[in-house]
Amino acid sequence: MTNKVRTRFAPSPTGHLHVGGARTAIYCWAYARGREGTFILRIEDTDQKRSSEQATFGFFEDLNWLGVNWDEGPEFQSSGGGDVGPYFQAQRLDEYNTQLNKLIECGLAYYAFETPDELNEKRKLARAEKRAYRYDRAALELTEEQVQANLDEGKPYVIRFKVPDDAILAFTDEVIGDVEIPRSELDDFVIFKADGFPTYHFAVVVDDALMGVTDVVRGQEHLNNTFKHIVLQEALGFERPRYAHLSLIFNPDGSKMSKRDKDKTLRAYVKEHQIESPPDGCIEHAEWDNWLSSKDNQLQTDEANSLAKALGVSLPEINVDDFKAAGYLPEVLMNYLCLLGWSPGDDIEQFDSAFLIEHFSLDRIVKSPAKFDRAKLLAFNLDAMQALSSEAFESRLLEWCHEYAPAFAALGERFPLFAKANHERSKTFRDAIETSSFLVEDDEALTWVETKPVKKALLKGEVTGLSLLPEVAQRLGELADWTHESIDACLASCAEELAGGKLGKVAQPVRIAVAGSPVSPPIGDTLVLLGRDSTIKRIERCIAFFMSHCDA
RNA sequence: GGUCCCAUCGUCUAGUCAGGUCAGGACAUCAGGUUUUCAUCCUGGGAACAGGGGUUCGAAUCCCCUUGGGAUCACCA
């Protein structure tokens, strides 16, 4: 039991689960799963101002969608439980106080009464003098009486950890190797905040120890924090877990992948199109004004998403639920994310979670940072989509439509054909609906825009596509039955007799007439899906539309 | 700025720890081909060891320096 691997993923629920966090979670999970170990989910909600229940629930859903289930932690569907909880830090204050008392008893923790403003001044000064700021231990000079007096007065205070002067600041990282920093780099950091909550450093050390975590796998932004953690472990008499720090994930342009990217995209769009006020029903005017008043004022993710939807802007996918909404398969996202910083060798790239669990190991993690390449993710998704049986594709597409495209989910008995017609040609679920929007539009609502390919198909050439349409409509209308086969045969004979055997000469005008664009599923499928009445009606409207336009 | 970390095709990477096949794969790209649109699909091509010093018979691989990139320096995690 004691030597069994125990890993944990410990997000702070201040937003959405982004791809970097997701990768960390997957690694922790796969590592434990492959060693008959235990994977723990712990919610680090000691930041009272920023944590939210909604975000917490979002994390559960995102992890669940990826197939990352946890043995211990908050209960959610089949995950959670465990007897070293609670697994929310905000509910573990007693534990932290117990541990804190140990430190106070041996004189390794002390009260400090400087205000944040005072400390900021000192930091500014240090920066101006181009030296690193370190806490000056001023509070250590206070006499017991002074401290007591301050406390009696009700002065706000924090508690700092007195880092032993002879502390050894070195550890071996499973990914990076030996790391050490000079003693002068580490000052007496705060372990309890004025609001009575422990800081991240204190809580993480206590929880990892009390929860029996053996392997800490986390982002490289924590590498320097690790020194704080090991001195705390030393003082508290805890065993040191193994550490593995993961390099970060970046955008293709080298910038850090963050929710800011959404903000940037929206700002650029609003500026370019000189949009003065928010579209109805997405965000408040006050919020809009505030947002535009300064680049530092970011929209919340949900606000950004709703604004983007209202404006018809597509935002870069950053969070796990963005990829879900964009129609990616969770197993593909997991696969791709794993590859950003780890590989199984032997030129193997595409694998499932069973393979990952069997082969994942810390010693094959890559040290250097990776850039997120959407094109490759898309290619992987296409491969996985194509590998799906038609039944699986249909049911998963339907499931996706229920959540993101209800109009398509309502296709009813036409849905199987809709799925079949889009299986081979879609890179994502969203692809399928984006080139089939004509299916859920009213016949009367369809409009045509004279783009280049439209003109080419309808108006160019010795015999224009438009001129063929009446005859084609006529023949389609006379068909004995309305099936894929009969339609294809009809169009083929039209092509033979009217267009010198060129099927494209007939199919494209028909496609544009019924779909309003030169892109749609194979023409036979398109027409069957639409039904005869709509097909004929649309062709007639199309003819009328272009006749009136061309004559003008 | 201090400290720490990193460095193979455009991108993700194999190869590095135990120096020795024209540095392998995937995505992207380019050139052909198939196809009623889009997307697929097939064939082929180009493409990298950041630079400089060492060690060695031999260096992508070991050491040092330079350069470049990143992280961190909170009463956020």
Side-chain angles (χ1 to χ4, degrees):
Chain A
M1 168 75 196
T2 44
N3 51 12
K4 278 275 177 67
V5 163
R6 288 172 66 82
T7 61
R8 52 49 167 196
F9 178 58
S12 67
T14 55
H16 291 248
L17 177 62
H18 63 94
V19 291
R23 184 190 60 175
T24 304
I26 293 166
Y27 284 1
C28 287
W29 169 83
Y31 186 72
R33 283 280 175 282
R35 269 148 265 265
E36 296 179 334
T38 303
F39 174 62
I40 305 166
L41 177 65
R42 183 177 69 224
I43 304 300
E44 310 221 323
D45 51 356
T46 54
D47 185 347
Q48 292 290 287
K49 285 179 217 120
R50 299 199 302 160
S51 297
S52 83
E53 246 177 74
Q54 196 195 352
T56 307
F57 190 72
F59 273 81
F60 295 165
E61 285 196 310
D62 291 341
L63 288 171
N64 204 53
W65 179 69
L66 281 170
V68 174
N69 48 347
W70 51 99
D71 307 296
E72 294 183 20
E75 301 204 5
F76 180 80
Q77 305 205 358
S78 60
S79 289
D83 48 17
V84 289
Y87 295 91
F88 288 87
Q89 289 190 327
Q91 295 169 21
R92 298 174 60 79
L93 259 30
D94 289 346
E95 305 281 8
Y96 305 132
N97 280 310
T98 305
Q99 297 301 325
L100 174 64
N101 286 334
K102 279 164 60 177
L103 252 29
I104 290 180
E105 273 166 32
C106 59
L108 284 173
Y110 60 92
Y111 294 93
F113 298 90
E114 293 90 346
T115 65
D117 286 345
E118 284 168 5
L119 294 173
N120 271 334
E121 284 307 311
K122 290 188 180 180
R123 265 187 215 107
K124 266 192 209 160
L125 192 68
R127 191 138 191 95
E129 290 173 6
K130 291 200 172 191
R131 58 185 169 79
Y133 170 78
R134 301 282 174 254
Y135 180 66
D136 56 11
R137 283 189 162 177
L140 217 42
E141 309 296 319
L142 264 32
T143 64
E144 251 176 69
E145 291 73 30
Q146 284 172 309
V147 169
Q148 196 55 51
N150 281 339
L151 291 176
D152 291 343
E153 238 177 82
K155 252 190 174 176
Y157 64 87
V158 299
I159 295 173
R160 289 182 181 270
F161 177 62
K162 188 180 169 195
V163 180
D165 292 332
D166 59 353
I168 293 168
L169 304 178
F171 71 99
T172 301
D173 189 274
E174 300 296 316
V175 173
I176 295 171
D178 293 337
V179 192
E180 64 177 310
I181 57 168
R183 172 65 189 86
S184 58
E185 281 300 305
L186 194 58
D187 65 1
D188 287 355
F189 54 96
V190 174
I191 53 177
F192 262 72
K193 301 180 276 188
D195 64 3
F197 277 79
T199 60
Y200 164 72
H201 306 297
F202 193 75
V204 79
V205 164
V206 171
D207 288 342
D208 284 345
L210 264 36
M211 291 180 181
V213 171
T214 57
D215 294 79
V216 173
V217 181
R218 61 183 12 170
Q220 212 170 73
E221 67 268 23
H222 287 300
L223 187 64
N224 295 33
N225 289 335
T226 307
F227 299 104
K228 294 179 179 166
H229 303 166
I230 62 177
V231 292
L232 234 26
Q233 283 152 3
E234 197 83 2
L236 258 8
F238 293 147
E239 255 181 67
R240 184 186 300 181
R242 279 186 293 271
Y243 283 103
H245 287 95
L246 275 20
S247 61
L248 274 22
I249 298 177
F250 293 97
N251 282 317
D253 68 1
S255 62
K256 196 172 173 178
M257 223 175 155
S258 82
K259 60 186 175 191
R260 277 198 107 87
D261 298 336
K262 295 191 178 208
D263 219 71
K264 266 160 70 181
T265 305
L266 281 172
R267 274 177 204 283
Y269 185 87
V270 166
K271 196 175 171 192
E272 191 188 328
H273 294 78
Q274 301 187 329
I275 298 166
E276 303 288 338
S277 61
D280 290 336
C282 56
I283 63 173
E284 302 291 324
H285 271 85
E287 184 61 34
W288 169 273
D289 292 337
N290 180 46
W291 175 56
L292 288 177
S293 68
S294 161
K295 281 192 176 168
D296 294 329
N297 296 338
Q298 278 187 65
L299 249 26
Q300 294 298 313
T301 306
D302 301 325
E303 292 172 337
N305 286 342
S306 89
L307 178 59
K309 201 175 170 188
L311 293 174
V313 182
S314 61
L315 258 26
E317 298 93 357
I318 304 293
N319 301 318
V320 168
D321 58 350
D322 294 335
F323 289 95
K324 186 183 177 197
Y328 287 90
L329 260 15
E331 62 268 35
V332 172
L333 185 59
M334 172 187 268
N335 182 177
Y336 179 72
L337 248 23
C338 283
L339 244 29
L340 254 32
W342 179 81
S343 85
D346 292 332
D347 291 340
I348 296 169
E349 285 203 305
Q350 300 194 359
F351 45 79
D352 59 16
S353 61
F355 177 93
L356 176 69
I357 287 169
E358 190 184 338
H359 295 273
F360 183 78
S361 68
L362 299 177
D363 58 8
R364 289 194 66 89
I365 291 178
V366 177
K367 298 184 195 180
S368 49
K371 289 175 188 167
F372 194 96
D373 179 8
R374 284 195 181 69
K376 186 156 179 170
L377 173 64
L378 208 51
F380 274 33
N381 207 59
L382 171 73
D383 288 346
M385 289 270 211
Q386 292 187 338
L388 251 29
S389 70
S390 49
E391 295 77 29
F393 179 80
E394 182 188 321
S395 69
R396 294 182 70 167
L397 177 61
L398 181 60
E399 196 184 342
W400 184 86
C401 287
H402 273 303
E403 191 164 353
Y404 298 102
F408 285 89
L411 246 24
E413 59 187 17
R414 290 189 292 165
F415 196 88
L417 179 57
F418 163 67
K420 182 183 152 290
N422 283 287
H423 189 172
E424 199 187 0
R425 56 193 295 278
S426 300
K427 292 187 175 184
T428 64
F429 289 139
R430 188 166 288 284
D431 272 357
I433 66 160
E434 277 185 345
T435 53
S436 296
S437 58
F438 65 91
L439 260 186
V440 295
E441 265 180 284
D442 286 339
D443 295 337
E444 308 298 330
L446 201 67
T447 55
W448 293 271
V449 181
E450 285 183 50
T451 58
K452 235 181 186 175
V454 169
K455 282 187 199 159
K456 187 185 172 200
L458 289 179
L459 309 174
K460 295 278 166 66
E462 288 193 23
V463 182
T464 67
L466 192 61
S467 68
L468 261 30
L469 245 23
E471 175 66 18
V472 177
Q474 167 90 26
R475 295 196 190 188
L476 284 171
E478 288 165 358
L479 241 35
D481 48 16
W482 192 253
T483 64
H484 191 287
E485 291 76 17
S486 64
I487 291 168
D488 275 356
C490 174
L491 292 181
S493 68
C494 284
E496 202 55 52
E497 291 161 34
L498 310 172
K502 286 183 179 165
L503 195 46
K505 200 72 185 143
V506 175
Q508 268 316 80
V510 171
R511 186 189 311 280
I512 290 167
V514 302
S517 100
V519 177
S520 88
I523 195 69
D525 293 328
T526 298
L527 297 195
V528 173
L529 280 167
L530 228 33
R532 190 192 318 244
D533 290 350
S534 283
T535 299
I536 304 297
K537 205 183 282 179
R538 289 176 183 210
I539 293 176
E540 282 166 358
R541 280 192 68 233
C542 178
I543 294 169
F545 177 86
F546 280 96
M547 292 300 275
S548 67
H549 270 244
C550 296
D551 293 345

